[in-house]
Amino acid sequence: MRGVTSRAAVVIAAGAASSCSQIQLASAATPDNVSSRLQIHVPQSLFKADGYDHREALFGVPPYGGSIAQNVYYADSDLCDPTVDTRKGYPIRAKDKDGKMEPWPSPYILMVDRGDCSFVQKVRNAQRSGAAGVVIADNTCLCSDTDCVSANGEDVCQTAEPIMADDGSGSDISIPSFLMF
């Protein structure tokens, strides 16, 4: 995901118009010492046997020894606002009698953009909306990844991988969350 704009996250979360993507979050040691695996199973074209490069949050409850496999909804937001509109985002869902898109059916994993607030605040807002887990799409290149920087024509890059650290207020977070590159 690193260097892919937030609009690309729509492709990952969207699948076909009538179905959702499914992401599985599972415990499994990886060569770079990440203790979980992030895999997309639906649509099959996005499946990677070794999973997607990601980092676990240093707050919340990871799925130790287990997994979470749920439909994924892209919030089309950075979730910095505590009022989460569960009728927005992707994939497009059926409309109710008032012409508004149906809310995300629970349980779900919510994919959100990286943005201008703390990771804890994003995950807390997602948890309050009913999410069972959160995937934050990192859309900023590492400065050392010259291919990513040149392909995206970005003047802004980060010098080190971000860490999803607790800002001191994450003790109420009870769902797992991950930063996906």
Side-chain angles (χ1 to χ4, degrees), residues 20-57:
C20 298
S21 288
Q22 279 205 343
I23 288 183
Q24 181 174 11
L25 308 170
S27 295
T30 62
D32 58 352
N33 294 318
V34 174
S35 63
S36 62
R37 181 168 292 161
L38 179 67
Q39 293 183 309
I40 299 175
H41 290 277
V42 177
Q44 181 63 32
S45 62
L46 295 177
F47 178 78
K48 288 183 174 181
D50 292 332
Y52 282 81
D53 201 8
H54 70 287
R55 295 296 175 266
E56 300 170 16

Side-chain angles (χ1 to χ4, degrees), residues 11-115:
V11 174
I12 291 172
S18 62
S19 65
C20 298
S21 288
Q22 279 205 343
I23 288 183
Q24 181 174 11
L25 308 170
S27 295
T30 62
D32 58 352
N33 294 318
V34 174
S35 63
S36 62
R37 181 168 292 161
L38 179 67
Q39 293 183 309
I40 299 175
H41 290 277
V42 177
Q44 181 63 32
S45 62
L46 295 177
F47 178 78
K48 288 183 174 181
D50 292 332
Y52 282 81
D53 201 8
H54 70 287
R55 295 296 175 266
E56 300 170 16
L58 301 177
F59 57 88
V61 180
Y64 294 118
S67 67
I68 300 172
Q70 298 296 337
N71 288 332
V72 176
Y73 293 93
Y74 171 65
D76 197 18
S77 167
D78 62 11
L79 251 60
C80 290
D81 185 337
T83 306
V84 177
D85 186 353
T86 61
R87 294 178 179 270
K88 284 180 56 177
Y90 298 92
I92 303 298
R93 296 166 306 285
K95 303 224 176 185
D96 65 14
K97 61 181 171 63
D98 297 324
K100 294 181 180 179
M101 198 161 35
E102 294 285 340
W104 306 311
S106 291
Y108 55 86
I109 295 172
L110 195 56
M111 179 176 271
V112 302
D113 292 332
R114 206 172 154 193

